């Protein structure tokens, strides 16, 4: 599976490399695209020292950790949300008859190595935040755990979005609210948002486990919403459950898909 | 019966005279003069409206996404204004209103995407067809784009405002005269946005790959139009510069008129100045493109 993915991704990368100048420009611009989000955070913190109880560097830690998970998924998985385009173009049928998992083929379709620029930008912000924040070294083990958890959660959200497009063929943009919306939501401390919204992203769509709950542990902070302490360690469980559900939804989508035959 | 037409001529066949009858240079010259009128542009605007009205589900999906992002951004602005009440001359309600008004502009002003099929047409050579149409390419597309914007203002603009009103409560102008001012400013904003996107699209004629310019344009528009944070938050001289750039005419200026912070007159003058400048540049670029298309052979 991994080998097939790597092979497909490498094919797309070689094709993109044919236009070397474009490739370099797109990579650099990718850095700038995500940098606008950091610019907004910096503009906001130029007017205040704390936003909903969190300092600039703590916000950058949250941004960097969620951003790294998000951009990794954006690079490796996000193309599964092109299901509706493939259904309309009739190219999904071709994928279904090939001897490789459809999910792998979709995820690797139009793989863009140029998005690595965004990953590096998010990693740089996380690195900066880890360097300037005076963190307890005994709690740092949570950082890699939360990165993996976050990546799994975002991948699952994207897969759910792809599965939903078997139904929402005419309105694929709805799922952007959850994929890119999730990316936007996790850039800031969740204490910014309303209580009901935070409950929703904790217990229904577990985006709070991408960075918020584990970060509260890493930063050794109390939960402003009073969630019990053990919830901070539930990230991997939430990610596994969501991934399972996403897998089931995806199978349902594929199984019930009926080609128009065109 | 036109002169030069033989009585025994089969009406199904083209006429012998090269400068007479339908489908000939002479006839085309006549239709050309007849078509360039306001009714043509009004019709193009209507078609632009209808073309986009076909995809209702897609527009509503866009409106839903714009509303969700509006809610997320509003919370951030609320947190900022709770920490700094009265920052930049807005109160919390004004900041939240600003957020949803600019979210409503995303569709009509195409703040997140190019929204013109021009690059594709340039690459395939279809642009040659567009250049011989009986109206200038730029005005033709502008008319269509105004029709598209009118549709998207209704379908992608209203839902975020309603969502904002339902979740947080936003303000609305009470005075009908101010509504007129807002409408004028929104229209002017669409013109500026079109003029800018047209220029960006035409650059494809000189660059093989348009993606780079498109992404640059998107970056500038999202950050400098006031869509992500109000431009009044940018510090000092940077803020002054940013508020004088054409992108400010797309979201910040009409939103300030909506909020009643700026009056419609100066805002319209600012937008008109940039609109005229960018449209003029676009007209020059179109002339250059005409020559270029001839050289490449279309």
């Amino acid at each position: 599976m991994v080998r097939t993915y790597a092979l497909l991704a490498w094919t797309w990368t070689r094709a993109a490399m044919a236009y070397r100048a474009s490739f370099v420009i797109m990579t650099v611009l990718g850095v700038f695209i995500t940098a606008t989000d950091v610019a907004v955070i910096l503009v906001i913190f130029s007017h205040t020292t704390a936003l909903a109880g969190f300092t600039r560097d703590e916000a950058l830690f949250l941004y960097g950790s969620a951003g790294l998970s998000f951009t990794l998924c954006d690079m490796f998985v996000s193309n599964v949300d092109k299901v509706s385009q493939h259904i309309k173009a009739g190219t999904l049928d071709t994928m279904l008859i090939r001897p490789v998992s459809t999910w792998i083929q979709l995820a690797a379709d139009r793989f863009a190595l140029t998005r690595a620029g965004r990953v590096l930008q998010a990693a740089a912000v996380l690195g900066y935040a880890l360097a300037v924040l005076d963190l307890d070294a005994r709690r740092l083990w949570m950082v890699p755990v939360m990165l993996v958890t976050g990546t799994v959660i975002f991948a699952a959200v994207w897969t759910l979005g792809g599965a939903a497009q078997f139904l929402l063929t005419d309105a694929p943009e709805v799922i952007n609210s959850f994929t890119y919306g999730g990316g936007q939501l996790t850039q800031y401390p969740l204490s910014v948002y309303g209580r009901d919204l935070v409950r929703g992203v904790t217990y229904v769509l577990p985006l709070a486990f991408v960075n918020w709950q584990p970060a509260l542990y890493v930063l050794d902070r109390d939960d402003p919403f009073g969630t019990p302490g053990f919830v901070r360690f539930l990230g991997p469980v939430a990610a596994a459950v969501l991934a399972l559900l996403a897998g089931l939804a995806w199978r349902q989508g594929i199984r019930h898909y009926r080609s128009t035959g065109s | 019966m036109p002169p030069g037409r033989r009585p025994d001529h089969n009406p199904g066949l083209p006429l012998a005279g090269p400068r007479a009858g339908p489908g000939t240079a002479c006839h085309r010259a006549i239709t050309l003069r007849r078509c360039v009128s306001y009714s043509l542009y009004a019709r193009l605007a209507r078609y632009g409206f209808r073309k986009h009205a076909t995809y209702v589900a897609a527009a509503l999906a866009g409106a839903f996404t714009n509303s969700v992002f509006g809610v997320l951004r509003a919370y951030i602005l609320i947190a900022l204004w709770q920490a700094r009440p009265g920052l930049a001359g807005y109160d919390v309600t004004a900041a939240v209103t600003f957020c949803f008004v600019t979210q409503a502009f995303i569709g009509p002003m195409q703040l997140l995407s190019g929204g013109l099929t021009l690059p594709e047409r340039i690459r395939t050579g279809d642009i040659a067809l567009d250049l011989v149409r009986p109206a200038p390419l730029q005005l033709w597309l502008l008319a269509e784009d105004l029709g598209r914007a009118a549709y998207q203002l209704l379908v992608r603009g209203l839902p975020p405002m309603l969502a904002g009103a339902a979740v947080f409560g936003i303000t609305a102008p009470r005075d009908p005269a101010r509504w007129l001012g807002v409408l004028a400013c929104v229209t002017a904003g669409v013109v500026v946005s079109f003029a800018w996107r047209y220029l960006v699209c035409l650059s494809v004629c000189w660059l093989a790959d348009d993606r780079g310019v498109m992404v640059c344009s998107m970056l500038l528009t999202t950050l400098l139009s006031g869509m992500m944070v109000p431009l009044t938050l940018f510090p000092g001289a940077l803020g002054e510069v940013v508020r004088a750039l054409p992108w400010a005419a797309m979201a910040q200026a009409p939103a300030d008129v909506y909020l009643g912070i700026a009056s419609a007159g100066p805002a319209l003058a600012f937008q008109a100045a940039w609109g005229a400048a960018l449209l003029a540049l676009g007209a020059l670029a179109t002339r250059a493109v005409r020559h270029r298309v001839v050289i490449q052979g279309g």
Side-chain angles (χ1 to χ4, degrees), chain B residues 4-86:
Chain B
R5 179 167 171 186
R6 290 196 305 277
D8 58 344
H9 182 76
N10 180 351
L13 293 173
L15 287 157
R19 301 190 62 77
T24 57
C26 187
H27 186 86
R28 269 205 303 279
I30 296 164
T31 34
L32 206 124
R33 231 170 293 137
R34 202 177 58 215
C35 275
V36 178
S37 61
Y38 293 108
S39 76
L40 168 72
Y41 294 118
R43 185 173 284 213
L44 281 172
R46 234 180 62 217
Y47 286 160
F49 188 100
R50 278 208 343 223
K51 191 159 87 184
H52 286 266
T54 321
Y55 309 106
V56 183
L60 289 178
F64 176 73
T65 305
N66 292 160
S67 309
V68 169
F69 272 80
V71 170
L72 296 182
R73 288 200 174 118
Y75 273 121
I76 295 161
L77 293 183
I78 290 172
L80 177 58
W81 258 269
Q82 269 171 356
R84 291 283 310 275

Side-chain angles (χ1 to χ4, degrees), chain B residues 178 181-182 185 253-254 256-271:
Chain B
R178 228 172 84 201
V182 170
C185 280
D256 275 349
V257 173
Y258 179 94
L259 286 171
I261 289 167
S263 49
L268 269 176
F270 167 65
Q271 291 176 303

Side-chain angles (χ1 to χ4, degrees), chain A residues 22 26 29 32-33 36-37 40 43-44 47-48 50-51 170-171 173-174 176-177 180-181 184-185 188 192-194 197, chain B residues 57-58 61-62 64-65 68-69 72 75-76 79-80 83-84 87 156 209 211-212 215-216 219 223 228-229 233-234:
Chain A
S22 271
M26 288 308 288
L29 282 176
F32 281 106
I33 289 179
T36 54
D37 289 330
V40 169
V43 165
I44 286 175
H47 292 283
T48 178
L51 191 71
D170 285 330
E173 213 188 322
V174 167
N176 286 0
S177 303
Y180 292 96
Q184 164 80 24
L185 177 100
Y188 289 86
V192 163
Y193 304 104
L197 181 62
Chain B
F64 176 73
T65 305
V68 169
F69 272 80
L72 296 182
Y75 273 121
I76 295 161
L80 177 58
R84 291 283 310 275
L87 180 66
R156 285 190 66 170
D209 192 4
R211 285 177 309 169
V215 173
C216 273
L219 267 172
L223 194 61
M228 294 179 98
V229 280
L233 290 189
F234 282 82

Side-chain angles (χ1 to χ4, degrees), chain A residues 159-164 166 243-256:
Chain A
T159 308
L160 278 170
F166 285 105
L244 193 71
L245 288 175
L248 286 173
W250 181 260
R251 287 171 71 103
Q252 282 293 314
I254 292 279
R255 197 163 287 172
H256 289 270

Side-chain angles (χ1 to χ4, degrees), chain A residues 31 34 38 60-61 63-72 116-131 147:
Chain A
V31 178
T34 40
V38 184
L60 285 177
F61 173 68
Y63 168 88
S65 51
L68 191 53
S69 303
F70 183 77
T71 50
L72 276 173
R118 306 182 193 188
V119 180
L120 291 179
Q121 190 269 347
V125 173
L126 179 62
Y128 165 83
L130 284 175
L147 289 177

Side-chain angles (χ1 to χ4, degrees), chain A:
Chain A
M1 242 164 73
V2 176
R3 264 191 57 189
T4 322
Y5 187 97
L7 187 72
L8 288 169
W10 173 238
T11 317
W12 283 107
T13 308
R14 244 183 13 205
M17 285 287 212
Y19 303 97
R20 203 152 292 221
S22 271
F23 184 83
V24 174
I25 292 171
M26 288 308 288
T27 311
V28 174
L29 282 176
V31 178
F32 281 106
I33 289 179
T34 40
T36 54
D37 289 330
V38 184
V40 169
I41 293 178
L42 294 181
V43 165
I44 286 175
F45 277 99
S46 73
H47 292 283
T48 178
T49 48
L51 191 71
F54 285 77
T55 65
R56 189 192 70 178
D57 294 336
E58 286 171 329
L60 285 177
F61 173 68
L62 286 161
Y63 168 88
S65 51
L68 191 53
S69 303
F70 183 77
T71 50
L72 276 173
C73 275
D74 184 43
M75 184 164 150
F76 289 107
V77 183
S78 76
N79 287 323
V80 296
D81 75 357
K82 302 278 191 297
V83 167
S84 108
Q85 282 180 25
H86 284 290
I87 290 178
K88 282 184 195 161
T91 41
L92 191 72
D93 301 5
T94 350
M95 292 185 177
L96 286 173
I97 55 170
R98 288 193 194 130
V100 180
S101 143
T102 316
W103 191 87
I104 291 283
Q105 286 183 65
L106 272 167
D109 189 54
R110 309 211 158 269
F111 173 83
L113 189 62
T114 51
R115 289 181 181 174
R118 306 182 193 188
V119 180
L120 291 179
Q121 190 269 347
V125 173
L126 179 62
Y128 165 83
L130 284 175
V132 290
L133 283 171
D134 190 22
L135 293 172
D136 186 347
R138 279 166 302 168
R139 290 171 183 260
L140 281 182
W141 62 268
M142 186 56 117
V143 176
V145 174
M146 72 197 266
L147 289 177
V148 174
T149 310
T151 311
V152 172
I153 289 175
F154 278 128
V157 171
W158 248 301
T159 308
L160 278 170
Q165 288 193 9
F166 285 105
L167 301 172
L168 295 168
T169 314
D170 285 330
E173 213 188 322
V174 167
I175 66 139
N176 286 0
S177 303
F178 301 99
T179 51
Y180 292 96
Q184 164 80 24
L185 177 100
T186 48
Q187 281 178 10
Y188 289 86
L190 290 194
S191 50
V192 163
Y193 304 104
R195 182 174 289 271
D196 291 330
L197 181 62
V198 175
R199 275 207 190 121
V201 296
T202 310
Y203 301 113
V204 183
L205 189 69
L207 289 168
F209 296 101
V210 168
N211 60 351
W212 171 246
Q213 288 294 344
L216 286 176
Y217 171 76
V218 176
L219 299 171
D220 195 11
R221 298 280 299 252
D222 290 328
D223 190 328
F225 296 104
T227 320
F230 73 90
V231 177
R232 296 171 189 191
F233 305 100
L234 289 185
V237 181
V241 171
L242 191 69
L244 193 71
L245 288 175
L248 286 173
W250 181 260
R251 287 171 71 103
Q252 282 293 314
I254 292 279
R255 197 163 287 172
H256 289 270
Y257 166 68
R258 291 192 67 176
S259 165
T260 55
S262 61

Side-chain angles (χ1 to χ4, degrees), chain B:
Chain B
M1 187 180 298
R5 179 167 171 186
R6 290 196 305 277
D8 58 344
H9 182 76
N10 180 351
L13 293 173
L15 287 157
R19 301 190 62 77
T24 57
C26 187
H27 186 86
R28 269 205 303 279
I30 296 164
T31 34
L32 206 124
R33 231 170 293 137
R34 202 177 58 215
C35 275
V36 178
S37 61
Y38 293 108
S39 76
L40 168 72
Y41 294 118
R43 185 173 284 213
L44 281 172
R46 234 180 62 217
Y47 286 160
F49 188 100
R50 278 208 343 223
K51 191 159 87 184
H52 286 266
T54 321
Y55 309 106
V56 183
L60 289 178
F64 176 73
T65 305
N66 292 160
S67 309
V68 169
F69 272 80
V71 170
L72 296 182
R73 288 200 174 118
Y75 273 121
I76 295 161
L77 293 183
I78 290 172
L80 177 58
W81 258 269
Q82 269 171 356
R84 291 283 310 275
L87 180 66
Y90 297 163
D91 56 13
V92 177
T93 323
V96 171
T97 309
F98 183 94
C99 167
F100 283 99
V101 171
T102 46
Q103 284 298 118
F105 287 159
I106 289 178
M109 318 270 185
Q110 291 283 302
L111 297 178
L112 294 176
S113 52
L116 291 175
T117 49
L118 209 50
E120 194 54 40
R121 293 187 72 80
I122 291 173
R123 214 173 305 117
T124 54
D126 288 342
I127 187 78
L129 255 169
D130 295 337
L131 286 172
V132 296
R133 282 188 212 279
L137 174 67
Q138 195 183 19
L139 295 181
W140 180 289
L141 291 176
L142 174 60
E144 267 191 354
D145 204 58
L146 282 172
R148 176 201 58 75
Y151 173 70
Q152 296 203 319
L153 189 65
L154 286 176
V155 182
R156 285 190 66 170
L158 282 180
M161 302 282 284
L162 295 176
V167 181
F168 300 102
I170 60 173
T171 59
R174 289 185 190 284
D175 186 7
R178 228 172 84 201
W179 272 111
L180 274 181
V182 170
L183 211 61
C185 280
V186 170
T187 315
V190 173
V191 174
V192 175
S193 139
F194 166 80
W196 167 254
R197 284 178 288 130
Y198 181 79
L199 272 177
V200 170
C201 289
L202 278 198
S203 71
V204 182
C205 276
W206 289 272
L207 305 159
D209 192 4
D210 64 314
R211 285 177 309 169
V213 208
M214 288 290 173
V215 173
C216 273
S217 159
M218 197 194 82
L219 267 172
L220 290 168
T221 314
T222 46
L223 194 61
L224 302 182
S225 67
M227 198 198 89
M228 294 179 98
V229 280
L231 296 183
T232 35
L233 290 189
F234 282 82
L238 179 68
E240 297 282 329
V241 173
V242 162
R243 285 192 290 277
L245 292 174
W247 297 282
M250 296 178 200
Q252 179 79 34
D256 275 349
V257 173
Y258 179 94
L259 286 171
I261 289 167
S263 49
L268 269 176
F270 167 65
Q271 291 176 303
W274 272 119
L278 292 177
L279 283 177
L281 257 176
L284 284 177
T286 317
R287 269 181 57 188
V289 165
R290 275 179 186 281
H291 293 288
R292 190 138 174 113
V293 168
V294 172
I295 292 167
Q296 288 190 338

